[in-house]
Coordinates of all heavy atoms in Angstrom, one line a residue:
M1 N 0.9 -1.2 0.0 CA 0.0 0.0 0.0 C 0.8 1.3 0.0 O 1.8 1.3 0.8 CB -0.9 0.0 1.3 CG -1.7 1.1 1.5 SD -3.0 1.0 2.7 CE -2.2 0.8 4.1
T2 N 0.7 2.2 -0.9 CA 1.4 3.4 -0.9 C 0.7 4.5 -0.3 O -0.5 4.4 0.0 CB 1.6 3.8 -2.4 OG1 0.4 4.1 -3.0 CG2 2.3 2.7 -3.3
P3 N 1.5 5.4 0.3 CA 0.9 6.6 0.9 C -0.2 7.3 -0.1 O 0.1 7.5 -1.2 CB 2.1 7.5 1.2 CG 3.2 6.6 1.2 CD 2.9 5.6 0.3
G4 N -1.3 7.6 0.5 CA -2.3 8.3 -0.4 C -3.2 7.2 -1.1 O -4.1 7.7 -1.6
E5 N -2.9 5.9 -0.9 CA -3.8 5.0 -1.6 C -5.2 5.1 -1.1 O -6.2 4.9 -1.9 CB -3.2 3.6 -1.4 CG -4.0 2.5 -2.2 CD -3.3 1.1 -2.0 OE1 -2.2 1.1 -1.8 OE2 -4.0 0.1 -2.3
F6 N -5.4 5.4 0.1 CA -6.7 5.6 0.7 C -6.9 7.0 1.0 O -7.5 7.4 2.0 CB -6.9 4.7 2.0 CG -6.8 3.3 1.7 CD1 -5.7 2.4 2.0 CD2 -8.0 2.7 1.2 CE1 -5.7 1.2 1.8 CE2 -8.0 1.3 1.0 CZ -6.8 0.5 1.4
S7 N -6.5 7.9 0.1 CA -6.6 9.4 0.3 C -8.1 9.8 0.5 O -8.4 10.7 1.1 CB -6.1 10.1 -0.9 OG -6.6 9.7 -2.1
D8 N -9.0 9.0 -0.1 CA -10.5 9.3 0.1 C -11.1 8.4 1.0 O -12.1 7.7 0.7 CB -11.1 9.5 -1.3 CG -12.5 10.1 -1.2 OD1 -12.8 10.7 -0.2 OD2 -13.3 9.7 -2.1
S9 N -10.5 8.1 2.2 CA -10.8 7.1 3.1 C -12.2 7.5 3.7 O -12.9 6.7 4.4 CB -9.8 6.8 4.2 OG -9.5 8.0 4.9
S10 N -12.7 8.7 3.5 CA -13.9 9.1 4.2 C -15.1 8.2 3.5 O -16.2 8.2 3.9 CB -14.3 10.6 4.1 OG -14.3 10.9 2.6
Q11 N -14.7 7.8 2.2 CA -15.7 7.1 1.4 C -15.7 5.5 1.8 O -16.6 4.8 1.5 CB -15.4 7.2 -0.1 CG -15.6 8.6 -0.6 CD -16.9 9.1 -0.3 OE1 -18.0 8.5 -0.5 NE2 -17.1 10.4 0.3
M12 N -14.7 5.2 2.7 CA -14.6 3.7 3.1 C -15.8 3.6 4.0 O -16.0 4.3 5.0 CB -13.3 3.4 3.8 CG -12.1 3.4 2.9 SD -12.2 2.1 1.7 CE -11.1 2.5 0.5
S13 N -16.4 2.5 3.9 CA -17.5 2.2 4.9 C -17.2 0.9 5.7 O -16.6 0.1 5.2 CB -18.8 2.0 4.2 OG -18.8 0.9 3.2
L14 N -17.6 1.0 6.9 CA -17.3 0.0 7.9 C -18.7 -0.8 8.0 O -19.7 -0.2 8.1 CB -16.8 0.4 9.1 CG -15.4 1.2 9.1 CD1 -15.1 1.6 10.6 CD2 -14.4 0.3 8.5
S15 N -18.6 -2.1 8.1 CA -19.9 -2.9 8.4 C -20.4 -2.6 9.7 O -19.7 -2.1 10.7 CB -19.6 -4.5 8.1 OG -18.8 -4.8 9.3
A16 N -21.6 -3.1 10.0 CA -22.2 -2.9 11.3 C -21.4 -3.6 12.4 O -21.1 -3.2 13.5 CB -23.8 -3.4 11.3
R17 N -20.8 -4.8 12.1 CA -20.1 -5.5 13.1 C -18.7 -4.8 13.3 O -18.2 -4.8 14.4 CB -19.8 -7.0 12.5 CG -18.9 -7.8 13.5 CD -19.6 -7.9 14.8 NE -20.1 -9.3 15.0 CZ -20.7 -9.7 16.1 NH1 -21.0 -8.9 17.1 NH2 -21.0 -10.9 16.2
E18 N -18.2 -4.3 12.2 CA -16.9 -3.5 12.3 C -17.2 -2.3 13.2 O -16.3 -2.0 14.2 CB -16.3 -3.1 11.1 CG -15.7 -4.2 10.3 CD -15.4 -4.0 8.8 OE1 -16.0 -3.0 8.3 OE2 -14.6 -4.7 8.4
M19 N -18.3 -1.6 13.1 CA -18.6 -0.4 13.9 C -18.8 -0.9 15.4 O -18.4 -0.2 16.3 CB -19.9 0.2 13.3 CG -19.7 1.0 12.1 SD -18.3 2.3 12.3 CE -18.9 3.2 13.7
E20 N -19.4 -2.0 15.6 CA -19.6 -2.5 16.9 C -18.2 -2.8 17.5 O -17.9 -2.4 18.7 CB -20.4 -3.9 16.8 CG -20.7 -4.4 18.2 CD -21.7 -5.6 17.9 OE1 -21.7 -6.2 17.0 OE2 -22.4 -6.0 19.0
I21 N -17.3 -3.3 16.8 CA -15.9 -3.6 17.3 C -15.2 -2.5 17.5 O -14.5 -2.2 18.6 CB -15.2 -4.6 16.3 CG1 -15.9 -6.0 16.5 CG2 -13.7 -4.7 16.7 CD1 -15.5 -7.1 15.4
I22 N -15.3 -1.3 16.7 CA -14.5 -0.2 16.8 C -15.0 0.5 18.0 O -14.1 1.2 18.8 CB -14.5 0.7 15.5 CG1 -13.3 1.6 15.5 CG2 -15.8 1.5 15.5 CD1 -13.0 2.3 14.2
E23 N -16.3 0.5 18.4 CA -16.7 1.1 19.6 C -16.1 0.4 20.8 O -15.7 1.1 21.8 CB -18.2 1.1 19.7 CG -18.8 2.1 18.6 CD -20.4 2.0 18.4 OE1 -20.9 1.1 19.3 OE2 -20.9 2.6 17.6
L24 N -15.9 -0.9 20.8 CA -15.4 -1.6 21.9 C -13.9 -1.3 22.0 O -13.3 -1.3 23.1 CB -15.7 -3.1 21.7 CG -17.1 -3.5 21.9 CD1 -17.4 -4.9 21.5 CD2 -17.6 -3.2 23.3
V25 N -13.2 -1.2 20.8 CA -11.8 -0.8 20.8 C -11.7 0.5 21.5 O -10.7 0.7 22.3 CB -11.2 -0.8 19.4 CG1 -9.9 -0.1 19.3 CG2 -11.1 -2.2 18.8
A26 N -12.6 1.4 21.1 CA -12.5 2.8 21.6 C -12.7 2.8 23.2 O -12.2 3.6 24.0 CB -13.6 3.7 21.0
S27 N -13.4 1.7 23.7 CA -13.7 1.7 25.2 C -12.4 1.0 25.9 O -12.6 0.9 27.1 CB -15.0 0.9 25.5 OG -14.9 -0.4 25.2
G28 N -11.4 0.6 25.1 CA -10.2 0.1 25.8 C -10.2 -1.4 25.8 O -9.2 -1.9 26.5
L29 N -11.1 -2.1 25.3 CA -11.1 -3.6 25.3 C -10.0 -4.2 24.4 O -9.8 -3.7 23.4 CB -12.4 -4.2 25.0 CG -13.6 -3.8 25.8 CD1 -14.8 -4.6 25.4 CD2 -13.3 -4.1 27.4
T30 N -9.3 -5.3 24.8 CA -8.5 -6.0 24.0 C -9.3 -6.8 23.0 O -10.4 -7.0 23.2 CB -7.5 -6.9 24.8 OG1 -8.5 -7.9 25.4 CG2 -6.8 -6.2 25.8
N31 N -8.6 -7.4 22.0 CA -9.4 -8.2 21.1 C -9.9 -9.5 21.8 O -11.0 -9.9 21.4 CB -8.4 -8.7 19.9 CG -8.2 -7.6 18.9 OD1 -8.5 -6.4 19.1 ND2 -7.4 -7.9 17.8
Q32 N -9.2 -10.0 22.8 CA -9.8 -11.1 23.5 C -11.0 -10.8 24.3 O -12.0 -11.4 24.3 CB -8.6 -11.6 24.5 CG -9.1 -12.9 25.3 CD -9.5 -14.0 24.4 OE1 -8.7 -14.4 23.5 NE2 -10.6 -14.7 24.6
E33 N -10.9 -9.6 24.8 CA -12.2 -9.2 25.6 C -13.3 -8.8 24.7 O -14.5 -9.1 25.1 CB -11.8 -7.9 26.5 CG -10.8 -8.2 27.5 CD -10.2 -6.9 28.2 OE1 -10.0 -5.9 27.5 OE2 -9.8 -6.9 29.3
I34 N -13.0 -8.3 23.5 CA -14.1 -8.0 22.6 C -14.7 -9.3 22.2 O -15.9 -9.5 22.0 CB -13.5 -7.3 21.4 CG1 -13.1 -5.9 21.8 CG2 -14.5 -7.2 20.1 CD1 -12.4 -5.1 20.7
A35 N -13.9 -10.4 21.9 CA -14.3 -11.7 21.4 C -15.2 -12.3 22.5 O -16.3 -12.9 22.2 CB -13.1 -12.6 21.2
E36 N -14.9 -12.2 23.7 CA -15.7 -12.7 24.8 C -17.1 -11.9 24.9 O -18.1 -12.5 25.1 CB -14.9 -12.6 26.2 CG -13.8 -13.7 26.3 CD -12.8 -13.3 27.4 OE1 -13.1 -12.5 28.2 OE2 -11.7 -14.0 27.4
R37 N -16.9 -10.6 24.8 CA -18.1 -9.9 24.9 C -19.2 -10.2 23.8 O -20.3 -10.2 24.0 CB -17.8 -8.5 24.9 CG -18.9 -7.3 24.7 CD -19.5 -6.8 26.0 NE -18.5 -6.4 27.0 CZ -18.0 -5.2 27.3 NH1 -18.6 -4.2 26.6 NH2 -17.2 -4.8 28.3
L38 N -18.6 -10.4 22.6 CA -19.5 -10.8 21.5 C -19.8 -12.1 21.2 O -20.4 -12.5 20.2 CB -18.9 -10.1 20.1 CG -18.7 -8.5 20.2 CD1 -18.0 -8.0 18.9 CD2 -20.0 -7.8 20.4
T39 N -19.2 -13.1 22.0 CA -19.1 -14.4 21.9 C -18.8 -14.9 20.5 O -19.5 -15.6 19.9 CB -20.5 -15.0 22.3 OG1 -21.6 -14.5 21.5 CG2 -20.8 -14.8 23.7
I40 N -17.6 -14.4 20.1 CA -17.0 -14.8 18.8 C -15.6 -15.1 19.1 O -15.1 -14.8 20.2 CB -17.0 -13.8 17.7 CG1 -16.4 -12.4 18.2 CG2 -18.5 -13.6 17.2 CD1 -16.5 -11.3 17.0
S41 N -14.9 -15.7 18.2 CA -13.5 -16.1 18.5 C -12.6 -14.9 18.3 O -12.9 -13.9 17.7 CB -13.0 -17.2 17.4 OG -12.8 -16.5 16.1
K42 N -11.4 -15.0 19.1 CA -10.4 -13.9 19.1 C -9.9 -13.7 17.6 O -9.7 -12.6 17.1 CB -9.3 -14.1 20.0 CG -8.3 -13.0 19.9 CD -7.1 -13.3 20.8 CE -6.0 -12.3 20.6 NZ -5.3 -12.4 19.3
R43 N -9.8 -14.8 16.9 CA -9.3 -14.8 15.5 C -10.3 -14.0 14.7 O -9.8 -13.2 13.7 CB -9.1 -16.2 15.0 CG -8.5 -16.1 13.5 CD -8.2 -17.5 13.2 NE -7.8 -17.5 11.7 CZ -6.8 -18.1 11.2 NH1 -6.1 -18.8 12.0 NH2 -6.6 -17.9 9.9
T44 N -11.6 -14.1 14.8 CA -12.5 -13.3 14.1 C -12.4 -11.9 14.4 O -12.4 -11.0 13.4 CB -14.0 -13.8 14.4 OG1 -14.1 -15.2 14.1 CG2 -15.0 -13.0 13.7
V45 N -12.2 -11.5 15.6 CA -11.9 -10.1 16.0 C -10.7 -9.5 15.4 O -10.6 -8.5 14.8 CB -11.9 -9.9 17.4 CG1 -11.6 -8.4 17.9 CG2 -13.2 -10.4 18.2
D46 N -9.5 -10.5 15.4 CA -8.3 -10.1 14.8 C -8.5 -9.7 13.2 O -8.1 -8.8 12.8 CB -7.3 -11.2 14.9 CG -6.8 -11.4 16.3 OD1 -7.1 -10.6 17.1 OD2 -6.3 -12.5 16.6
N47 N -9.4 -10.6 12.6 CA -9.6 -10.4 11.2 C -10.4 -9.2 10.9 O -10.1 -8.4 10.1 CB -10.4 -11.5 10.5 CG -9.5 -12.8 10.5 OD1 -8.3 -12.8 10.4 ND2 -10.1 -14.0 10.4
H48 N -11.5 -8.8 11.8 CA -12.2 -7.6 11.7 C -11.3 -6.3 11.8 O -11.4 -5.3 11.0 CB -13.4 -7.5 12.6 CG -14.5 -8.3 12.3 ND1 -15.2 -8.1 11.1 CD2 -15.2 -9.3 13.0 CE1 -16.2 -9.1 11.1 NE2 -16.3 -9.7 12.2
V49 N -10.5 -6.4 12.9 CA -9.5 -5.3 13.2 C -8.6 -5.0 11.9 O -8.4 -3.9 11.4 CB -8.9 -5.5 14.5 CG1 -7.7 -4.4 14.6 CG2 -9.8 -5.3 15.6
S50 N -8.1 -6.1 11.5 CA -7.1 -6.2 10.3 C -7.8 -5.5 9.1 O -7.3 -4.7 8.4 CB -6.6 -7.6 10.0 OG -5.8 -7.5 8.8
N51 N -9.0 -5.9 8.9 CA -9.8 -5.5 7.7 C -10.1 -4.0 7.9 O -10.1 -3.1 6.9 CB -11.2 -6.2 7.6 CG -11.0 -7.6 7.1 OD1 -9.9 -7.9 6.5 ND2 -12.1 -8.4 7.3
M52 N -10.3 -3.5 9.0 CA -10.6 -2.1 9.4 C -9.2 -1.3 9.1 O -9.3 -0.2 8.6 CB -11.1 -1.9 10.7 CG -12.6 -2.3 10.9 SD -13.2 -1.8 12.5 CE -12.5 -3.0 13.6
F53 N -8.1 -1.8 9.5 CA -6.9 -1.2 9.2 C -6.7 -0.9 7.7 O -6.4 0.1 7.1 CB -5.6 -2.1 9.7 CG -5.4 -2.0 11.2 CD1 -4.7 -3.0 11.7 CD2 -6.1 -1.1 12.1 CE1 -4.4 -3.0 13.1 CE2 -5.9 -1.2 13.3 CZ -5.0 -2.1 13.9
T54 N -7.1 -2.1 6.9 CA -6.9 -2.0 5.4 C -7.9 -0.9 4.8 O -7.5 -0.1 4.0 CB -7.2 -3.3 4.8 OG1 -6.1 -4.3 5.4 CG2 -7.0 -3.2 3.3
K55 N -9.2 -1.0 5.3 CA -10.2 -0.1 4.8 C -9.9 1.4 5.0 O -10.2 2.3 4.3 CB -11.6 -0.4 5.4 CG -12.2 -1.7 4.8 CD -13.5 -1.9 5.5 CE -14.2 -3.1 4.9 NZ -15.7 -3.2 5.4
T56 N -9.3 1.6 6.2 CA -9.1 3.1 6.7 C -7.6 3.6 6.4 O -7.3 4.7 6.5 CB -9.3 3.2 8.2 OG1 -8.5 2.4 8.8 CG2 -10.9 2.7 8.5
G57 N -6.7 2.6 6.0 CA -5.4 3.0 5.8 C -4.6 3.2 7.1 O -3.5 3.9 7.2
S58 N -5.2 2.7 8.2 CA -4.6 2.8 9.5 C -3.6 1.7 9.8 O -3.7 0.6 9.3 CB -5.7 2.8 10.7 OG -6.6 3.7 10.5
K59 N -2.5 2.1 10.5 CA -1.4 1.2 10.8 C -1.6 0.5 12.2 O -0.9 -0.6 12.5 CB -0.1 1.8 10.8 CG 0.1 2.4 9.3 CD 1.6 2.9 9.3 CE 1.9 3.5 7.9 NZ 2.0 2.6 6.8
N60 N -2.4 1.0 13.2 CA -2.5 0.6 14.4 C -3.9 1.0 15.0 O -4.6 1.7 14.4 CB -1.4 1.0 15.4 CG -1.2 2.4 15.3 OD1 -2.1 3.2 15.4 ND2 0.1 2.9 15.2
R61 N -4.2 0.5 16.3 CA -5.5 0.8 16.9 C -5.6 2.4 17.1 O -6.8 2.9 17.0 CB -5.5 0.1 18.3 CG -5.7 -1.4 17.9 CD -5.4 -2.1 19.2 NE -6.6 -2.3 20.2 CZ -7.5 -3.3 20.1 NH1 -7.3 -4.3 19.2 NH2 -8.4 -3.4 20.9
V62 N -4.6 3.0 17.4 CA -4.6 4.4 17.8 C -5.0 5.2 16.4 O -5.9 6.1 16.3 CB -3.3 5.0 18.2 CG1 -3.3 6.6 18.3 CG2 -2.9 4.5 19.7
G63 N -4.4 4.8 15.3 CA -4.7 5.3 14.0 C -6.2 5.1 13.6 O -6.8 5.9 13.0
L64 N -6.6 3.9 13.9 CA -7.9 3.4 13.5 C -9.0 4.3 14.3 O -9.9 4.9 13.8 CB -8.1 2.0 13.9 CG -9.5 1.5 13.6 CD1 -9.9 1.5 12.2 CD2 -9.7 0.0 14.1
L65 N -8.6 4.6 15.6 CA -9.5 5.4 16.3 C -9.5 6.9 15.9 O -10.6 7.5 15.9 CB -9.2 5.3 17.9 CG -9.6 3.9 18.4 CD1 -9.1 3.8 20.0 CD2 -11.0 3.5 18.3
N66 N -8.3 7.4 15.5 CA -8.2 8.7 15.1 C -9.0 8.8 13.8 O -9.8 9.8 13.6 CB -6.8 9.1 14.8 CG -6.0 9.4 16.2 OD1 -6.6 9.8 17.1 ND2 -4.8 9.3 16.1
W67 N -9.0 7.8 13.0 CA -9.7 7.9 11.6 C -11.2 7.8 12.0 O -12.0 8.7 11.4 CB -9.4 6.6 10.8 CG -10.3 6.5 9.5 CD1 -9.9 7.1 8.3 CD2 -11.5 6.0 9.4 NE1 -10.9 6.8 7.5 CE2 -11.8 6.1 8.1 CE3 -12.4 5.4 10.3 CZ2 -13.0 5.7 7.5 CZ3 -13.7 4.9 9.8 CH2 -14.0 5.1 8.5
A68 N -11.5 7.0 12.9 CA -13.0 6.9 13.2 C -13.6 8.3 13.8 O -14.7 8.6 13.5 CB -13.2 5.8 14.3
M69 N -12.8 8.9 14.6 CA -13.1 10.3 15.3 C -13.1 11.3 14.0 O -14.1 12.0 13.9 CB -12.2 10.6 16.3 CG -12.5 10.0 17.6 SD -11.5 10.5 19.0 CE -12.2 12.1 19.3
D70 N -12.2 11.3 13.3 CA -12.1 12.2 12.1 C -13.2 12.2 11.1 O -13.7 13.2 10.6 CB -10.7 12.1 11.3 CG -9.5 12.5 12.1 OD1 -9.7 13.3 13.2 OD2 -8.4 12.2 11.7
H71 N -13.8 11.0 11.1 CA -14.9 10.7 10.1 C -16.2 10.6 10.8 O -17.2 10.1 10.2 CB -14.5 9.5 9.1 CG -13.4 9.7 8.3 ND1 -12.1 9.5 8.7 CD2 -13.4 10.3 7.0 CE1 -11.4 9.8 7.7 NE2 -12.1 10.3 6.8
G72 N -16.3 11.0 12.1 CA -17.6 11.0 12.7 C -18.3 9.6 13.0 O -19.4 9.6 13.2
K73 N -17.4 8.7 13.1 CA -17.8 7.3 13.4 C -18.0 6.9 14.8 O -19.0 6.2 15.3 CB -16.9 6.2 12.8 CG -16.6 6.4 11.2 CD -17.9 6.1 10.5 CE -17.6 6.0 9.0 NZ -18.9 6.1 8.2
I74 N -17.2 7.6 15.6 CA -17.2 7.5 17.1 C -17.0 8.9 17.7 O -16.5 9.8 17.0 CB -16.2 6.5 17.7 CG1 -14.8 7.0 17.4 CG2 -16.4 5.1 17.2 CD1 -13.7 6.2 18.1
C75 N -17.4 9.1 18.9 CA -17.1 10.2 19.7 C -16.5 9.7 21.1 O -17.0 8.7 21.5 CB -18.3 11.1 19.9 SG -19.6 10.7 20.9
R76 N -15.7 10.4 21.7 CA -15.2 10.0 22.9 C -15.2 11.3 24.0 O -14.7 12.4 23.6 CB -13.6 9.8 22.7 CG -13.5 8.4 22.0 CD -14.0 7.2 22.7 NE -13.0 7.0 23.8 CZ -13.4 6.2 24.8 NH1 -14.5 5.7 25.0 NH2 -12.4 6.1 25.8
E77 N -15.8 11.0 25.1 CA -15.9 12.0 26.2 C -16.2 13.4 25.8 O -15.4 14.4 26.0 CB -14.6 12.0 27.0 CG -14.3 10.6 27.5 CD -12.9 10.3 28.2 OE1 -12.2 11.4 28.3 OE2 -12.7 9.2 28.6
G78 N -17.3 13.5 24.9 CA -17.6 14.9 24.5 C -16.9 15.4 23.2 O -17.3 16.3 22.6
F79 N -15.9 14.8 22.8 CA -15.1 15.2 21.6 C -15.8 14.6 20.3 O -16.1 13.3 20.4 CB -13.7 14.7 21.6 CG -12.8 15.5 22.7 CD1 -12.7 14.8 23.9 CD2 -12.5 16.8 22.5 CE1 -11.9 15.5 24.8 CE2 -11.9 17.4 23.5 CZ -11.4 16.8 24.7
N80 N -16.1 15.4 19.4 CA -16.5 15.0 18.1 C -18.1 14.4 18.1 O -18.4 13.9 17.1 CB -15.7 13.7 17.5 CG -15.7 13.6 16.0 OD1 -15.9 14.6 15.3 ND2 -15.8 12.4 15.5
C81 N -18.7 14.5 19.2 CA -20.0 14.0 19.2 C -21.1 14.9 18.5 O -22.0 14.3 18.0 CB -20.5 14.0 20.7 SG -19.6 12.9 21.7
C82 N -20.8 16.1 18.2 CA -21.8 17.0 17.5 C -21.9 16.6 16.0 O -23.0 16.6 15.5 CB -21.3 18.5 17.6 SG -19.7 18.7 16.7
S83 N -20.9 15.9 15.4 CA -21.0 15.5 14.1 C -21.8 14.2 13.9 O -22.2 13.8 12.9 CB -19.6 15.3 13.5 OG -19.0 14.2 14.1
L84 N -22.0 13.5 15.1 CA -22.9 12.3 15.1 C -24.3 12.6 15.3 O -25.1 11.7 14.9 CB -22.3 11.3 16.2 CG -20.9 10.9 16.1 CD1 -20.7 10.1 17.4 CD2 -20.7 10.0 14.8
Q85 N -24.6 13.7 15.7 CA -26.0 14.0 16.0 C -26.7 14.5 14.6 O -26.0 15.0 13.7 CB -26.1 15.2 16.9 CG -25.6 14.8 18.2 CD -25.6 15.9 19.3 OE1 -26.0 17.1 19.0 NE2 -25.2 15.6 20.5
D86 N -28.0 14.4 14.5 CA -28.7 14.9 13.3 C -28.5 16.5 13.1 O -28.6 17.1 14.2 CB -30.1 14.6 13.3 CG -30.4 13.1 13.2 OD1 -29.5 12.3 12.6 OD2 -31.4 12.7 13.8
E87 N -28.2 16.9 11.9 CA -28.2 18.4 11.8 C -29.5 19.0 11.8 O -30.5 18.3 11.4 CB -27.5 18.6 10.4 CG -26.1 18.2 10.3 CD -25.5 18.6 8.9 OE1 -26.0 19.5 8.3 OE2 -24.5 18.0 8.6
P88 N -29.7 20.2 12.3 CA -31.0 20.9 12.4 C -31.5 21.0 11.1 O -30.8 21.4 10.2 CB -30.7 22.1 13.2 CG -29.2 22.3 13.2 CD -28.6 21.0 13.0
S89 N -32.9 20.9 11.0 CA -33.5 21.2 9.7 C -33.5 22.6 9.3 O -33.4 23.5 10.1 CB -34.9 20.6 9.7 OG -35.7 21.4 10.6
S90 N -33.5 23.0 8.1 CA -33.4 24.3 7.6 C -34.8 25.0 7.6 O -35.0 26.0 7.2 CB -32.8 24.5 6.2 OG -33.5 23.7 5.3
D91 N -35.8 24.2 8.1 CA -37.1 24.8 8.2 C -37.4 25.7 9.3 O -38.4 26.4 9.3 CB -38.1 23.7 8.3 CG -38.1 22.7 7.0 OD1 -37.6 23.2 5.9 OD2 -38.6 21.6 7.2
S92 N -36.5 25.8 10.2 CA -36.6 26.6 11.5 C -36.6 28.1 11.2 O -35.7 28.6 10.5 CB -35.6 26.3 12.5 OG -35.4 24.9 12.7

């Protein structure tokens, strides 16, 4: 993968399961803990996380969480939460 290959990573979409896993990663759980919580194998979680790295161009969990925050996929402790809420209608 070359730098910029995922330059339009905002168009990358994560599956519902990947979103569920990224939220658990954001809460600080390890892959093993995520597997136990979702009653799936650790290898399945490893595969999902690896797929998310590829889709987002991230190299590690920190990069993945930064990507998710930058693209409004997650919010943490009040940061980035406004982009997850519905925008007010222009009818007001």
Side-chain angles (χ1 to χ4, degrees):
M1 176 169 60
T2 62
E5 184 176 342
F6 291 102
S7 59
D8 195 15
S9 61
S10 63
Q11 298 303 313
M12 293 291 163
S13 62
L14 301 179
S15 70
R17 181 58 111 183
E18 289 169 338
M19 285 305 306
E20 187 175 16
I21 290 172
I22 203 168
E23 289 171 4
L24 295 171
V25 168
S27 70
L29 297 182
T30 65
N31 286 5
Q32 182 63 47
E33 292 167 333
I34 293 169
E36 291 168 5
R37 172 92 45 103
L38 299 177
T39 59
I40 59 178
S41 74
K42 180 187 173 290
R43 183 175 172 133
T44 298
V45 176
D46 293 343
N47 287 337
H48 281 302
V49 171
S50 178
N51 290 340
M52 288 187 285
F53 288 165
T54 300
K55 286 182 177 183
T56 65
S58 302
K59 296 185 187 286
N60 55 44
R61 292 163 84 90
V62 172
L64 179 62
L65 295 178
N66 284 335
W67 178 91
M69 286 185 66
D70 290 347
H71 293 91
K73 304 294 184 187
I74 60 170
C75 68
R76 295 288 293 153
E77 300 173 8
F79 293 102
N80 203 39
C81 294
C82 61
S83 65
L84 297 177
Q85 299 172 358
D86 292 333
E87 293 183 19
S89 67
S90 59
D91 296 338
S92 306

